Amino acid sequence: MPQLNPNPWFLIMLASWAIFLLLMQPKLLSFTPTNSPPNKTKTTPNPTPWTWPWT
Amino acid sequence: MNLSFFDQFASPQLLGIPLILLSLLFPTLLLPSPGGRWITNRLSTLQLWFLQLITKQLMTPLNKPGHKWALILSSLMVFLLLTNLLGLLPYTFTPTTQLSMNMALAFPLWLATLLTGLRNQPSISLGHLLPEGTPTPLIPALILIETTSLLIRPLALGVRLTANLTAGHLLIQLISTATMALLPIMPTISILTASILLLLTILEVAVAMIQAYVFVLLLSLYLQENI
C-alpha cells in the first residue's frame, strides 16, 4: 500500500498543518457574521398553566 | 512497471516536486475572502450561512470554555469536506486517503482534548475511565478496557477517514475498469455496471461529507468529556 511509504509522511504532516493553520483559518475568520450571537440567559421559564376552553 | 489498483494512492510527484501541496491548496482557493462590504455576492453569502450552520451545530453541546475551539473545529470541518469532495472529481488526488495526513490531524487534536481535560479537571477526566454503576469485581478490568479505548481513539479517527475514502476510491476504480473492459464484450452488462458506478458515485459523495462530519463530531465529543 503506497500510503504506508514513510518517505513523504513528514512533508505531508507539515504541509497539511501549515495550509490548515496559515491559509484556511484566516480565510474563514474573515467571514463576519451580520448578527452578533446573543448570550443565553440562564433563567428557566415558569409558565403558568391554563385550561383551554372546550367551546 | 505494471500498475496495480493501489498506485492511485501513491503521493503524486512530478520531477521530484510533490504535487500533494496542490491538492491541499485547492480548498483554500475555492473560498473567496469577503471584502469589507456587509452584503456580498451570492457565493460569500452561502459560505457564511454554511459556516454559521456548522459552527452552531458543533458548538451547541459545548459549554462556554469549549467555544474557544469554534475556529479550529469549523475550519477543520470545511477543510476535510472540501478535500474529500474535490477528490471525487476525475483525475484529482485526495490527500485524505493518505494515512499520514489523517494521523497528523487526528493525533495532535485528540491529544489537545486529552491534555485540556487532564490539566483543568484531572479527576473528572480520569473519572471517565470508569462508568457509573460498575460492579466492584469488574473495576480493574474495566479501567484497563476504558484506557485502551481512550488510547486507541486517535488511531481510530485517522484510520476511519483513511479507510473510508481509500475504499471508496478503490471501488470506483474497480467498477469503472470493469465497465470499460466489458464494453466491447457484453455491452448490456457494461451498461448495468455503469449504473452501479453512478449509484456508487452518489454514495461516495455522501460518504465524503459524512466522514468529514464524523471526524469533527468525534473530536467535539472528546472535547465535551474534557472541558
Side-chain angles (χ1 to χ4, degrees), chain B residues 127-217:
Chain B
H128 284 298
L129 292 176
L130 186 67
E132 268 185 53
T134 50
T136 322
L138 275 176
I139 289 180
L142 209 56
I143 291 190
L144 286 174
I145 293 172
E146 291 287 330
T147 312
T148 321
S149 87
L150 176 74
L151 295 176
I152 219 169
R153 277 177 183 176
L155 203 66
L157 267 180
V159 173
R160 180 186 299 112
L161 186 56
T162 312
N164 269 295
L165 263 77
T166 310
H169 282 264
L170 209 57
L171 266 175
I172 288 178
Q173 190 173 23
L174 280 167
I175 295 184
S176 47
T177 313
T179 314
M180 294 313 292
L182 285 172
L183 197 56
I185 308 169
M186 293 186 278
T188 35
I189 307 290
S190 178
I191 293 170
L192 182 68
T193 326
S195 57
I196 294 178
L197 184 62
L198 183 68
L199 294 173
L200 185 66
T201 313
I202 297 171
L203 177 71
E204 283 310 311
V205 170
V207 164
M209 297 192 281
I210 290 169
Q211 285 305 317
Y213 177 59
V214 160
F215 192 95
V216 182
L217 181 72

Side-chain angles (χ1 to χ4, degrees), chain B residues 14 19 22 24 30 43 55-56 90 97 112 122 125 133 137-139 147 170 175 182 201 206 221:
Chain B
L14 183 66
L19 295 176
L22 263 179
L24 284 169
L30 287 176
L43 185 60
T55 315
K56 268 188 293 184
T97 52
S125 295
L138 275 176
I139 289 180
T147 312
L170 209 57
I175 295 184
L182 285 172
T201 313
L221 284 175

Side-chain angles (χ1 to χ4, degrees), chain B residues 3-227:
Chain B
L3 288 176
S4 73
F5 278 107
F6 281 109
D7 285 334
Q8 59 177 313
F9 300 120
S11 188
Q13 287 198 339
L14 183 66
L15 301 175
I17 307 167
L19 295 176
I20 196 170
L21 293 168
L22 263 179
S23 20
L24 284 169
L25 272 173
F26 243 87
T28 45
L29 297 176
L30 287 176
L31 299 170
S33 311
R37 298 182 288 179
W38 275 117
I39 303 204
T40 46
N41 54 0
R42 259 177 282 216
L43 185 60
S44 299
T45 315
L46 277 175
Q47 283 186 9
L48 179 63
W49 166 80
F50 186 63
L51 197 60
Q52 284 176 323
L53 181 76
I54 52 182
T55 315
K56 268 188 293 184
Q57 177 71 24
L58 290 171
M59 292 294 121
T60 312
L62 287 174
N63 56 1
K64 205 69 190 290
H67 292 182
K68 289 185 222 163
W69 286 67
L71 176 65
I72 198 164
L73 288 179
S74 358
S75 52
L76 184 66
M77 172 81 188
V78 170
F79 186 49
L80 288 178
L81 194 66
L82 282 176
T83 354
N84 290 350
L85 285 173
L86 279 175
L88 287 170
L89 297 170
Y91 290 105
T92 50
F93 180 71
T94 324
T96 36
T97 52
Q98 302 298 303
L99 189 63
S100 45
M101 172 172 166
N102 299 336
M103 289 305 292
L105 288 174
F107 194 82
L109 289 170
W110 163 81
L111 195 62
T113 60
L114 185 67
L115 290 178
T116 311
L118 284 177
R119 192 168 174 267
N120 298 335
Q121 39 176 45
S123 316
I124 301 178
S125 295
L126 287 173
H128 284 298
L129 292 176
L130 186 67
E132 268 185 53
T134 50
T136 322
L138 275 176
I139 289 180
L142 209 56
I143 291 190
L144 286 174
I145 293 172
E146 291 287 330
T147 312
T148 321
S149 87
L150 176 74
L151 295 176
I152 219 169
R153 277 177 183 176
L155 203 66
L157 267 180
V159 173
R160 180 186 299 112
L161 186 56
T162 312
N164 269 295
L165 263 77
T166 310
H169 282 264
L170 209 57
L171 266 175
I172 288 178
Q173 190 173 23
L174 280 167
I175 295 184
S176 47
T177 313
T179 314
M180 294 313 292
L182 285 172
L183 197 56
I185 308 169
M186 293 186 278
T188 35
I189 307 290
S190 178
I191 293 170
L192 182 68
T193 326
S195 57
I196 294 178
L197 184 62
L198 183 68
L199 294 173
L200 185 66
T201 313
I202 297 171
L203 177 71
E204 283 310 311
V205 170
V207 164
M209 297 192 281
I210 290 169
Q211 285 305 317
Y213 177 59
V214 160
F215 192 95
V216 182
L217 181 72
L218 282 173
L219 272 174
S220 75
L221 284 175
Y222 302 155
L223 183 65
Q224 278 174 47
E225 286 185 353
N226 285 314
I227 204 155

Side-chain angles (χ1 to χ4, degrees), chain A residues 1-4 8-9 11-13 15-17 19-21 23-25 27-34 39, chain B residues 6 9-10 18 20-21 24-25 28 31-32 34 38 44 47-48 52 64 71-72 75-76 79 97 100 104 166:
Chain A
M1 265 180 64
Q3 288 113 316
L4 297 176
W9 273 53
L11 168 77
I12 292 177
M13 177 178 83
S16 56
W17 268 108
I19 289 173
F20 175 56
L21 289 176
L23 292 178
M24 279 302 280
Q25 291 200 344
K27 273 213 173 213
L28 291 175
L29 207 52
S30 63
F31 277 97
T32 47
T34 46
N39 280 321
Chain B
F6 281 109
F9 300 120
I20 196 170
L21 293 168
L24 284 169
L25 272 173
T28 45
L31 299 170
W38 275 117
S44 299
Q47 283 186 9
L48 179 63
Q52 284 176 323
K64 205 69 190 290
L71 176 65
I72 198 164
S75 52
L76 184 66
F79 186 49
T97 52
S100 45
T166 310

